[in-house]
Amino acid sequence: MVRRTKEDAERTRQQIIDAARLVFHECGVSHTTLEKIAKAAGVTRGAVYWHFANKTELFFAMREQVQLPLLDRSDALLVADGFDNPLDGIEASMRTFFRGVDEDPAVRQTFEIMTLRCEYVGEFADVLTELHRPGIEFVAKLEVAYQRAAARGYLRPGLDPQALALDTWAFCHGLFKQLLASNFCAGLLGRVGDMISFHMALRRLPCAAASGAASDLSAGTG
């Protein structure tokens, strides 16, 4: 009986998170109330408060369940030992991220909510600090990967790993914003793999360029 009660509670919690994602996406975060989420989830407002203290806590639960696992998978490739050439790890990391956003509607919705449908004011004024943390960590891991590539002789001479890390972050951030703005237009999405390959080719030694992943978006992700 205790196990069934816990399972029921977990199912209800998941219903609330799924409903929150749909309502946040449809109405925008600032125009979403816990009452709307409760109605969409088919539960009472009290049930929502049982699992989440407020809308901010529910917002983070939605994010942590969908966004963070993808970021963990892509970031892990930056420091993985399975790549002799660390530049291949960087390329695989970017491909994994964009493939994850493309293939999982829940991931895409979550990113769209955070980027396009949330005003970071009022109770959400302090949320941006936490949302920026993965980007800061991504840049730090990129710099380490570029340093390793330089030490192993795979990086073009004269390139600064710190500057390259910031440039790759800006490339990913800008490309992602363009995909969002175009509603993931098939034409642009179909070019993502080639754009990633070209971005990395500018960093590779000419003799090492052939070791990069194929231009297909799904290639090189393990």
Side-chain angles (χ1 to χ4, degrees), residues 91-104:
E91 186 161 343
S93 174
M94 289 191 285
R95 291 178 183 279
T96 295
F97 172 79
F98 283 104
R99 185 179 68 173
V101 174
D102 174 40
E103 294 181 347
D104 191 331

Side-chain angles (χ1 to χ4, degrees), residues 102 179 184-195 215-217:
D102 174 40
L179 286 168
F184 285 80
C185 167
L188 178 58
L189 190 61
R191 299 181 63 187
V192 168
D194 288 337
M195 293 170 72
S215 62
D216 188 277
L217 182 58

Side-chain angles (χ1 to χ4, degrees), residues 165-183:
L166 291 170
D167 184 61
T168 294
W169 175 84
F171 166 77
C172 291
H173 187 69
L175 177 55
F176 182 69
K177 284 291 189 70
Q178 287 296 315
L179 286 168
L180 283 179
S182 70
N183 196 27

Side-chain angles (χ1 to χ4, degrees), residues 15-81:
Q15 284 178 235
I16 295 169
I17 292 174
D18 291 341
R21 183 180 305 110
L22 293 174
V23 179
F24 284 153
H25 192 265
E26 180 180 350
C27 303
V29 175
S30 62
H31 291 96
T32 294
T33 64
L34 294 182
E35 287 86 353
K36 287 182 179 180
I37 293 172
K39 182 177 180 180
V43 301
T44 65
R45 181 181 174 186
V48 176
Y49 276 115
W50 174 262
H51 291 279
F52 304 100
N54 50 48
K55 187 165 65 174
T56 304
E57 186 176 304
L58 179 50
F59 178 89
F60 275 119
M62 174 200 69
R63 167 185 176 259
E64 290 169 6
Q65 188 177 86
V66 173
Q67 181 200 30
L68 295 188
L70 173 59
L71 294 180
D72 287 344
R73 291 197 305 273
S74 58
D75 281 11
L77 293 168
L78 296 175
V79 293
D81 294 326

Side-chain angles (χ1 to χ4, degrees), residues 8 18 25 36 40 61 107 123-124 133 146 166 176:
D8 289 343
D18 291 341
H25 192 265
K36 287 182 179 180
V107 170
E123 63 183 309
F124 278 77
R133 181 180 57 79
Y146 278 124
L166 291 170
F176 182 69

